[in-house]
Amino acid sequence: MTVKSMNSDNGSNVSIVIEGRFDFNDHLAFRESYQQFLPNARYTLDMTQAEYLDSSALGMLLLLREHAGGDKAQIDVIGARPEIKNILAIANFQKLFHIA
Amino acid sequence: MNYRVIEVENAEKAITIAGTEHLELICMDAIMPDGKAYEATQIIKKNAADNFIAIIILTTPNCNPQIEQCIVAGADDFIAKPYDITALKAKVHAVERDRKLYQDLTTLNRQLSENDQLAKKVFTEAIFKKNKNIPAIKSWFKNNERFNNDLLLTADTPSNGLNVLFGRLNMEGTAAAVGALTTSETFNAMSSKGYSSHEIIDTLNNKLCDLLSTAIEFQAIFLNFNHDVNLLTCANFGMPEAFITSDATHTIIQRIKPSSRLLGKNKNLESEQAFTNFSLNSEQRIIMTCGKLADEAETETIKNEKIEQCLTASLAEKSLFDGLKNHIMKRLKCAENIRNFSLVEIHCIPTLTPESNIGQTKEEKYFHQKNTVIELDDPIKFDISIQNKNLGHIDPIPTLINFVNTISRVEQRHETLFTIFTELYTNALDHGVLKLESDLKSSTEGFFSYFKEKERRLKKLKSGSINISLSFMENKNINQLEIRFTDSGPGFDFKKVLENSYTATNENSGRGFLLLRNLCDKLEFNEPGNSVRVIFSWLS
């Protein structure tokens, strides 16, 4: 998979794009994608191109949430495919992320 | 003309004879000796009920008021004296044609009524009975004369959520029964397989379009409640606005407005766009109605307002449902012509959704099974074994997916199958072969050191094995895949881990099992825990 991140408004809006297969192999790339940005930024996770997701990926999403301020985190997950949405729902992630 | 003729001298006797003889045609003078031609016409027609007795009134000039009376009372025609035989014959032929039409109509009506009975039976016996009794859902279906073609369906989802479909099939008799059965079966089957709300709606829409090729009208609201009943995913396809109310503030707090998309019109509905999410708590209720409190001529806004007025008036009542029902009943009394009206209230309390598996017996809990598992007669098998240092650089998952792809169309469930394979493989590799402890992942740093450690151990791995066997079978339209993973490790306390997976949501571990349990139809471990078998099935 590839992870790309970009920011606008001096880092207050961070967009992370995930492509292909999202699993444990990506843990470093994924961490790098957000670590440089401040916790109070608004994060958008673009999963339009994400094909697969496993439980390690779910763990990584939680780490991003922790980085972004835990319960105060503002993270939008956009473009997830139905099957991926289903996986996010099974893990009860709709409570923790804004899944559009 | 081939009639047997009975003569009587007055109208009284005509009434008596009509009750005892099987009469087809009466020719009666407008002015009978007892002066009761009008009464006789009325009574004979009434008593005849579904039988057609034609009455031709014989008249003399200057008895127009009597003729008029008799025609109003039900006489079919009249003929003036003196009779012209051709004219009389023509009149008789005309009433015979009427009789034929009347009989055809009676037959059709009876068939229609039988169809209605059938539809009613299908609705009550085949569809509503399948709904589980959920005390948190209250409903009221009012119907006049014929059957109420409103549907309320409920079905559990594999992740212990609940799907609800409330709608109206604007069809009659058999068509309604066929539409309702299709809807119910599709809804139940897809809900139990864990398809998402919009996939269920899209499939349903396509099936209805195929099945009932003429444009049909199917209005519906689809609701999906997650296990904890704190998230609602819903869409409204042409139904009246639905409301989410709060018991705490006695107010309407949200509205589920009808989207512009309608069901049964054409394929490619792309219903996903119509779905929205609402967060819920146990003080909230969802109020849905179907039917109108006003006549057709009024605009949609006014119709909604009337329901809303009833609702607003009931918000502070002890029982919102009973209060609302009473208000609606009062309104309906003023609108006798309204055929059907339905009301549904869903109280968003945790008992709305199925009990989680925590309360189950041990056996059910550890050998989790959701659906009936079909027997494998003649499966296609595929085995691979990955050993020693190959484990460090071979990723078998694409191969496994390819295998399934070559023997069956799995596109729709592709992502899910990938997740299942990945979870099973990660489990076998991490815990079985590499003997990593999940506890390590309990903190952020731990999470990363876990993966660091995993990479380190993989690099120096010398011995170990993972054996994977797949068995595929297709039966009718059900595809079933049995997957076994056996690793060379010492096994693990799967009971404890599975137990944790019922509660883990924020923890950094245990989610793999949560996913497997929800995505597969069956999940079981063999002692000592180094071998796992899952069943995954999907519809083709």
Side-chain angles (χ1 to χ4, degrees), chain B residues 100-159:
Chain B
K100 176 83 177 40
L101 281 175
Y102 185 83
Q103 278 166 349
D104 288 351
L105 188 66
T106 312
T107 313
L108 275 176
N109 270 335
R110 199 176 49 240
Q111 280 170 357
L112 202 60
S113 154
E114 279 165 10
N115 280 345
D116 277 357
Q117 287 303 319
L118 171 78
K120 201 170 181 174
K121 211 173 152 92
V122 166
F123 271 68
T124 52
E125 301 288 317
I127 297 170
F128 278 82
K129 271 198 181 159
K130 272 194 195 154
N131 289 345
K132 208 170 54 163
N133 178 31
I134 303 172
I137 302 182
K138 291 182 187 168
S139 60
W140 172 57
F141 292 87
K142 177 199 185 301
N143 61 315
N144 287 350
E145 26 183 297
R146 304 180 64 186
F147 75 100
N148 184 329
N149 46 0
D150 293 348
L151 272 183
L152 177 65
L153 307 174
T154 60
D156 296 346
T157 69
S159 47

Side-chain angles (χ1 to χ4, degrees), chain B residues 155-196:
Chain B
D156 296 346
T157 69
S159 47
N160 290 320
L162 180 77
N163 283 343
V164 178
L165 182 88
F166 175 52
R168 170 172 289 187
L169 281 151
N170 286 316
M171 289 179 270
E172 307 290 344
T174 320
V178 170
L181 270 180
T182 309
T183 306
S184 150
E185 273 170 15
T186 309
F187 174 81
N188 285 325
M190 292 187 77
S191 294
S192 72
K193 296 299 293 171
Y195 282 92
S196 55

Side-chain angles (χ1 to χ4, degrees), chain B residues 256-518:
Chain B
I256 307 169
K257 291 184 191 286
S259 85
S260 55
R261 288 177 168 75
L262 293 173
L263 301 178
K265 296 285 180 216
N266 49 45
K267 293 191 173 186
N268 306 322
L269 179 68
E270 292 179 1
S271 67
E272 193 180 357
Q273 309 294 329
F275 279 89
T276 42
N277 293 334
F278 295 103
S279 51
L280 298 173
N281 66 50
S282 58
E283 282 169 355
Q284 292 167 354
R285 290 168 200 270
I286 295 164
I287 305 290
M288 301 184 284
T289 58
C290 186
K292 299 168 187 115
L293 289 183
D295 61 60
E296 301 286 340
E298 295 185 45
T299 66
E300 205 57 47
T301 330
I302 293 171
K303 283 175 204 159
N304 283 343
E305 266 176 17
K306 294 199 174 176
I307 304 266
E308 199 176 324
Q309 280 166 9
C310 292
L311 180 58
T312 313
S314 321
L315 281 170
E317 290 196 33
K318 206 165 137 201
S319 161
L320 174 61
F321 182 78
D322 293 340
L324 181 55
K325 187 175 146 187
N326 285 335
H327 280 287
I328 290 170
M329 272 160 84
K330 270 184 219 157
R331 296 264 182 160
L332 286 176
K333 270 194 191 140
C334 311
E336 287 294 336
N337 56 333
I338 308 268
R339 217 175 77 186
N340 292 333
F341 194 91
S342 307
L343 167 68
V344 176
E345 180 205 87
I346 301 175
H347 192 181
C348 307
I349 47 177
T351 53
L352 181 64
T353 50
E355 287 283 307
S356 76
N357 301 333
I358 290 165
Q360 289 179 350
T361 63
K362 267 198 169 160
E363 200 164 320
E364 283 169 318
K365 195 160 149 187
Y366 300 128
F367 303 100
H368 170 75
Q369 182 167 343
K370 289 189 320 222
N371 294 318
T372 321
V373 172
I374 54 173
E375 285 305 312
L376 299 178
D377 279 342
D378 203 5
I380 304 169
K381 293 193 175 200
F382 181 73
D383 292 296
I384 49 174
S385 174
I386 308 161
Q387 278 159 354
N388 307 334
K389 58 183 184 205
N390 289 330
L391 286 161
H393 56 259
I394 281 183
D395 176 5
I397 288 151
T399 314
L400 298 173
I401 298 259
N402 275 341
F403 165 72
V404 183
N405 253 340
T406 51
I407 52 174
S408 160
R409 285 183 60 241
V410 73
E411 289 98 8
Q412 285 189 329
R413 310 294 285 160
H414 209 247
E415 291 93 339
T416 304
L417 198 57
F418 170 85
T419 305
I420 293 171
F421 281 137
T422 308
E423 294 310 326
L424 291 170
Y425 189 69
T426 308
N427 182 47
L429 184 64
D430 290 15
H431 308 307
V433 176
L434 301 175
K435 303 182 183 67
L436 288 156
E437 293 291 336
S438 301
D439 297 351
L440 206 61
K441 285 191 277 189
S442 56
S443 71
T444 307
E445 273 324 299
F447 193 87
F448 287 100
S449 43
Y450 178 92
F451 288 121
K452 220 167 156 186
E453 182 61 20
K454 178 175 177 176
E455 277 168 0
R456 196 185 66 81
R457 291 193 195 182
L458 271 177
K459 265 184 204 140
K460 56 169 211 172
L461 183 69
K462 290 206 172 66
S463 71
S465 69
I466 296 176
N467 295 319
I468 305 163
S469 34
L470 305 182
S471 245
F472 173 82
M473 200 185 108
E474 198 179 341
N475 188 347
K476 290 178 187 157
N477 60 342
I478 304 170
N479 299 284
Q480 185 179 297
L481 186 67
E482 183 196 61
I483 311 165
R484 275 177 198 276
F485 273 69
T486 308
D487 63 63
S488 57
F492 71 108
D493 187 352
F494 55 86
K495 294 180 182 172
K496 189 176 141 218
V497 174
L498 275 176
E499 194 141 357
N500 287 341
S501 80
Y502 284 91
T503 47
T505 45
N506 271 324
E507 305 296 318
N508 287 330
S509 63
R511 247 180 325 269
F513 286 113
L514 179 78
L515 291 182
L516 283 175
R517 227 184 53 227
N518 281 289

Side-chain angles (χ1 to χ4, degrees), chain A residues 20-84:
Chain A
R21 184 172 156 173
F22 186 22
D23 60 17
F24 101 94
N25 295 305
D26 312 307
H27 68 278
L28 288 177
F30 186 71
R31 180 153 76 159
E32 276 163 21
S33 76
Y34 62 80
Q35 235 177 2
Q36 50 182 310
F37 302 109
L38 288 172
N40 58 5
R42 187 176 183 98
Y43 289 86
T44 305
L45 215 53
D46 184 347
M47 300 195 83
T48 317
Q49 300 298 320
E51 280 179 64
Y52 308 117
L53 201 70
D54 72 350
S55 62
S56 317
L58 295 178
M60 289 185 260
L61 293 179
L62 288 182
L63 294 182
L64 164 64
R65 188 172 177 270
E66 208 173 288
H67 172 81
D71 289 342
K72 288 185 212 128
Q74 297 183 76
I75 305 172
D76 294 316
V77 178
I78 59 165
R81 293 183 191 193
E83 301 276 308
I84 287 182

Side-chain angles (χ1 to χ4, degrees), chain A residues 4-23:
Chain A
K4 284 179 278 188
S5 64
M6 39 211 146
N7 74 89
S8 59
D9 305 327
N10 290 327
S12 63
N13 283 304
V14 179
S15 173
I16 302 170
V17 181
I18 294 167
E19 286 172 14
R21 184 172 156 173
F22 186 22
D23 60 17

Side-chain angles (χ1 to χ4, degrees), chain B residues 56-73:
Chain B
I56 296 177
I57 302 296
L58 312 170
T59 71
T60 45
N62 307 322
C63 61
N64 283 351
Q66 285 86 351
I67 299 172
E68 200 185 334
Q69 263 194 335
C70 289
I71 296 288
V72 170

